[in-house]
Every structure is written in C-alpha cells, then in structure tokens.
Amino acid sequence: MKMREKIFKYVKDQYKTEPDYPFSTFPDYPVLRHGDNGKWFALIMNVPREKLGLKGEERVDIVNVKLGDPVLVNMLVQRPGYFYGYHISRSNWISILLDGTVPFDEICQWIDESYAVTASKQKKQKIRPPKEWIVPANPKYYDILHSPH
C-alpha cells in the first residue's frame, strides 16, 4: 500500500476525514480538512525531487502539515525527509517526504499535531485538556501558602 493510501486510511479511522480534491489544475493533490471549520490540516502533493533540493528529476509524494511551534519546525527540517513547507510561505508548515525516509508512525504524529493546531476553538478544547499552572515561589521572599492575596 502506498504511503498516501495509508495516510487516507489513518485519517479516516482517526478523524472520519476523507480526502478532498479542490484543485482542477492539480487533480491528484488531495487536501485533508476539518469537517467543522473546513481548515486544512494536511495537503499531499507530488513534486519534482529537485524542487526540494534533492538529486534526481523524478516526482515524489510529500505531505504538508502545520506545526504549532516555529522552533520545532527549524529543528525538524535539519533531519532527513523534512523540509520547510513547499509552496506554503508560512513558517509553521513543513513538508515531509512520503518515500519511506520518515517512518509512517512519525508522519501520523505530525498529522495529529497539525489536526490539533488547525482545529476550531471548540474542538481544541476537546482535544487538549485544560492546562495546570505551576507558580514558582521562593518562600524566602514570598509565602504563597499564607499570602492574604
């Protein structure tokens, strides 16, 4: 099974999402989007290897996903199979090779992250539990337990 079909099966099972083909000029570029807000969380493209700075002229499948942290993006693109988002100028998008360089489970992890980052506010509240705050205090200067405020 090709990697793109494995991704389609994963997002169908995980998120009840089917690929959408919105581009008449690129009919084999599927978009994966949220059902409630229509936002994209992944785009699969078939691009020439040379456009990614790789050797060879043949075309290769990539998936574009959005991450929540630009620092993470900068770290990932240092690894084999990861690139700054091809054809997406925003800094939080990355492109991942679908030729086996990056393991399928790892690709799914970034699809999950992209799904969470692009979710509607209501869906984000369901996906991510509320955060607990830890307030550091030095009792020498401020006693948080016995403070009147």
Side-chain angles (χ1 to χ4, degrees):
M1 180 184 299
K2 286 179 66 176
M3 190 71 83
R4 70 166 53 199
E5 279 77 33
K6 288 173 75 172
I7 290 172
F8 294 159
K9 180 178 178 351
Y10 176 77
V11 297
K12 184 176 183 177
D13 293 346
Q14 189 76 13
Y15 303 114
K16 312 294 184 255
T17 299
E18 295 281 348
D20 175 16
Y21 295 84
F23 308 113
S24 58
T25 53
F26 297 102
D28 59 340
Y29 284 15
V31 170
L32 301 170
R33 55 175 99 220
H34 289 273
D36 63 343
N37 65 9
K39 284 188 178 181
W40 299 7
F41 62 91
L43 164 66
I44 297 177
M45 305 169 75
N46 185 280
V47 299
R49 292 177 61 84
E50 63 191 21
K51 296 282 186 182
L52 299 171
L54 300 173
K55 291 186 172 134
E57 296 180 16
E58 66 272 6
R59 298 178 79 82
V60 63
D61 277 351
I62 59 172
V63 62
N64 288 342
V65 294
K66 185 175 185 177
L67 304 181
D69 183 358
V71 174
L72 177 60
V73 169
N74 290 332
M75 288 172 36
L76 284 174
V77 298
Q78 304 304 313
R79 295 173 50 191
Y82 291 92
F83 305 89
Y84 288 108
Y86 177 77
H87 248 295
I88 296 180
S89 61
R90 295 173 185 88
S91 64
N92 285 18
W93 286 85
I94 61 169
S95 297
I96 306 171
L97 274 178
L98 299 181
D99 66 352
T101 303
V102 179
F104 178 69
D105 291 344
E106 202 170 304
I107 293 169
C108 291
Q109 172 189 347
W110 302 125
I111 289 172
D112 292 343
E113 172 70 12
S114 186
Y115 185 86
V117 168
T118 57
S120 65
K121 187 174 182 179
Q122 296 81 11
K123 197 176 279 186
K124 280 182 184 175
Q125 289 172 346
K126 291 178 185 174
I127 294 171
R128 294 185 175 165
K131 295 179 181 172
E132 292 183 24
W133 289 87
I134 298 174
V135 179
N138 185 338
K140 180 178 173 186
Y141 299 106
Y142 185 77
D143 185 356
I144 195 165
L145 296 176
H146 299 99
S147 170
H149 298 285

